[in-house]
PDB file of all heavy atoms in Angstrom:
ATOM      1  N   ASN A 545      59.881  74.177  29.136  1.00 90.00           N
ATOM      2  CA  ASN A 545      59.776  73.765  30.540  1.00 90.00           C
ATOM      3  C   ASN A 545      58.498  72.981  30.835  1.00 90.00           C
ATOM      4  O   ASN A 545      58.239  72.633  31.988  1.00 90.00           O
ATOM      5  CB  ASN A 545      59.849  74.991  31.451  1.00 90.00           C
ATOM      6  CG  ASN A 545      61.222  75.656  31.389  1.00 90.00           C
ATOM      7  OD1 ASN A 545      62.237  74.978  31.254  1.00 90.00           O
ATOM      8  ND2 ASN A 545      61.251  76.984  31.465  1.00 90.00           N
ATOM      9  N   ALA A 546      57.715  72.715  29.807  1.00 90.00           N
ATOM     10  CA  ALA A 546      56.515  71.886  29.984  1.00 90.00           C
ATOM     11  C   ALA A 546      56.910  70.413  30.076  1.00 90.00           C
ATOM     12  O   ALA A 546      57.862  69.973  29.435  1.00 90.00           O
ATOM     13  CB  ALA A 546      55.557  72.095  28.829  1.00 90.00           C
ATOM     14  N   ARG A 547      56.159  69.672  30.877  1.00 92.00           N
ATOM     15  CA  ARG A 547      56.424  68.239  31.045  1.00 92.00           C
ATOM     16  C   ARG A 547      55.142  67.450  30.748  1.00 92.00           C
ATOM     17  O   ARG A 547      54.432  67.025  31.672  1.00 92.00           O
ATOM     18  CB  ARG A 547      56.928  67.948  32.454  1.00 92.00           C
ATOM     19  CG  ARG A 547      58.265  68.596  32.783  1.00 92.00           C
ATOM     20  CD  ARG A 547      58.774  68.179  34.156  1.00 92.00           C
ATOM     21  NE  ARG A 547      57.875  68.596  35.220  1.00 92.00           N
ATOM     22  CZ  ARG A 547      57.923  69.786  35.826  1.00 92.00           C
ATOM     23  NH1 ARG A 547      58.826  70.685  35.456  1.00 92.00           N
ATOM     24  NH2 ARG A 547      57.073  70.083  36.793  1.00 92.00           N
ATOM     25  N   PRO A 548      54.828  67.262  29.462  1.00 92.00           N
ATOM     26  CA  PRO A 548      53.600  66.525  29.138  1.00 92.00           C
ATOM     27  C   PRO A 548      53.748  65.032  29.390  1.00 92.00           C
ATOM     28  O   PRO A 548      54.817  64.451  29.198  1.00 92.00           O
ATOM     29  CB  PRO A 548      53.406  66.810  27.642  1.00 92.00           C
ATOM     30  CG  PRO A 548      54.780  67.101  27.129  1.00 92.00           C
ATOM     31  CD  PRO A 548      55.522  67.756  28.262  1.00 92.00           C
ATOM     32  N   SER A 549      52.669  64.426  29.857  1.00 94.00           N
ATOM     33  CA  SER A 549      52.591  62.981  30.053  1.00 94.00           C
ATOM     34  C   SER A 549      51.360  62.489  29.296  1.00 94.00           C
ATOM     35  O   SER A 549      50.251  62.970  29.545  1.00 94.00           O
ATOM     36  CB  SER A 549      52.481  62.661  31.544  1.00 94.00           C
ATOM     37  OG  SER A 549      52.250  61.276  31.754  1.00 94.00           O
ATOM     38  N   LEU A 550      51.550  61.539  28.384  1.00 94.00           N
ATOM     39  CA  LEU A 550      50.474  61.109  27.496  1.00 94.00           C
ATOM     40  C   LEU A 550      50.003  59.697  27.818  1.00 94.00           C
ATOM     41  O   LEU A 550      50.803  58.766  27.893  1.00 94.00           O
ATOM     42  CB  LEU A 550      50.947  61.177  26.040  1.00 94.00           C
ATOM     43  CG  LEU A 550      49.971  60.668  24.966  1.00 94.00           C
ATOM     44  CD1 LEU A 550      48.710  61.513  24.959  1.00 94.00           C
ATOM     45  CD2 LEU A 550      50.634  60.674  23.593  1.00 94.00           C
ATOM     46  N   THR A 551      48.689  59.545  27.993  1.00 96.00           N
ATOM     47  CA  THR A 551      48.048  58.240  28.167  1.00 96.00           C
ATOM     48  C   THR A 551      47.184  57.967  26.938  1.00 96.00           C
ATOM     49  O   THR A 551      46.382  58.810  26.552  1.00 96.00           O
ATOM     50  CB  THR A 551      47.145  58.245  29.417  1.00 96.00           C
ATOM     51  OG1 THR A 551      47.945  58.447  30.583  1.00 96.00           O
ATOM     52  CG2 THR A 551      46.388  56.928  29.543  1.00 96.00           C
ATOM     53  N   THR A 552      47.361  56.801  26.313  1.00 95.00           N
ATOM     54  CA  THR A 552      46.512  56.433  25.188  1.00 95.00           C
ATOM     55  C   THR A 552      45.540  55.342  25.616  1.00 95.00           C
ATOM     56  O   THR A 552      45.901  54.410  26.333  1.00 95.00           O
ATOM     57  CB  THR A 552      47.332  55.945  23.978  1.00 95.00           C
ATOM     58  OG1 THR A 552      48.147  54.833  24.361  1.00 95.00           O
ATOM     59  CG2 THR A 552      48.223  57.051  23.438  1.00 95.00           C
ATOM     60  N   ALA A 553      44.294  55.493  25.178  1.00 94.00           N
ATOM     61  CA  ALA A 553      43.242  54.533  25.523  1.00 94.00           C
ATOM     62  C   ALA A 553      42.039  54.819  24.642  1.00 94.00           C
ATOM     63  O   ALA A 553      42.020  55.784  23.873  1.00 94.00           O
ATOM     64  CB  ALA A 553      42.866  54.643  27.004  1.00 94.00           C
ATOM     65  N   ALA A 554      41.012  53.990  24.757  1.00 93.00           N
ATOM     66  CA  ALA A 554      39.762  54.230  24.048  1.00 93.00           C
ATOM     67  C   ALA A 554      39.100  55.488  24.597  1.00 93.00           C
ATOM     68  O   ALA A 554      39.310  55.875  25.750  1.00 93.00           O
ATOM     69  CB  ALA A 554      38.830  53.036  24.211  1.00 93.00           C
ATOM     70  N   ALA A 555      38.280  56.141  23.770  1.00 94.00           N
ATOM     71  CA  ALA A 555      37.649  57.398  24.164  1.00 94.00           C
ATOM     72  C   ALA A 555      36.842  57.246  25.455  1.00 94.00           C
ATOM     73  O   ALA A 555      36.893  58.115  26.335  1.00 94.00           O
ATOM     74  CB  ALA A 555      36.761  57.911  23.034  1.00 94.00           C
ATOM     75  N   SER A 556      36.100  56.158  25.589  1.00 93.00           N
ATOM     76  CA  SER A 556      35.271  55.965  26.780  1.00 93.00           C
ATOM     77  C   SER A 556      36.120  55.866  28.044  1.00 93.00           C
ATOM     78  O   SER A 556      35.735  56.369  29.111  1.00 93.00           O
ATOM     79  CB  SER A 556      34.411  54.708  26.624  1.00 93.00           C
ATOM     80  OG  SER A 556      35.215  53.566  26.378  1.00 93.00           O
ATOM     81  N   VAL A 557      37.283  55.238  27.940  1.00 95.00           N
ATOM     82  CA  VAL A 557      38.200  55.126  29.089  1.00 95.00           C
ATOM     83  C   VAL A 557      38.774  56.494  29.436  1.00 95.00           C
ATOM     84  O   VAL A 557      38.857  56.881  30.611  1.00 95.00           O
ATOM     85  CB  VAL A 557      39.328  54.132  28.781  1.00 95.00           C
ATOM     86  CG1 VAL A 557      40.371  54.120  29.901  1.00 95.00           C
ATOM     87  CG2 VAL A 557      38.759  52.730  28.573  1.00 95.00           C
ATOM     88  N   LEU A 558      39.166  57.263  28.412  1.00 96.00           N
ATOM     89  CA  LEU A 558      39.741  58.587  28.644  1.00 96.00           C
ATOM     90  C   LEU A 558      38.738  59.530  29.301  1.00 96.00           C
ATOM     91  O   LEU A 558      39.088  60.316  30.189  1.00 96.00           O
ATOM     92  CB  LEU A 558      40.234  59.173  27.325  1.00 96.00           C
ATOM     93  CG  LEU A 558      41.407  58.445  26.671  1.00 96.00           C
ATOM     94  CD1 LEU A 558      41.654  58.999  25.271  1.00 96.00           C
ATOM     95  CD2 LEU A 558      42.670  58.566  27.518  1.00 96.00           C
ATOM     96  N   ILE A 559      37.484  59.461  28.855  1.00 95.00           N
ATOM     97  CA  ILE A 559      36.441  60.302  29.453  1.00 95.00           C
ATOM     98  C   ILE A 559      36.332  60.006  30.952  1.00 95.00           C
ATOM     99  O   ILE A 559      36.233  60.923  31.776  1.00 95.00           O
ATOM    100  CB  ILE A 559      35.094  60.064  28.743  1.00 95.00           C
ATOM    101  CG1 ILE A 559      35.139  60.681  27.339  1.00 95.00           C
ATOM    102  CG2 ILE A 559      33.938  60.647  29.543  1.00 95.00           C
ATOM    103  CD1 ILE A 559      33.962  60.300  26.468  1.00 95.00           C
ATOM    104  N   GLY A 560      36.374  58.741  31.309  1.00 95.00           N
ATOM    105  CA  GLY A 560      36.317  58.363  32.721  1.00 95.00           C
ATOM    106  C   GLY A 560      37.512  58.873  33.509  1.00 95.00           C
ATOM    107  O   GLY A 560      37.370  59.326  34.650  1.00 95.00           O
TER     108      GLY A 560
END
Side-chain angles (χ1 to χ4, degrees):
N545 294 325
R547 296 185 298 273
S549 173
L550 176 63
T551 296
T552 57
S556 57
V557 174
L558 294 171
I559 288 170

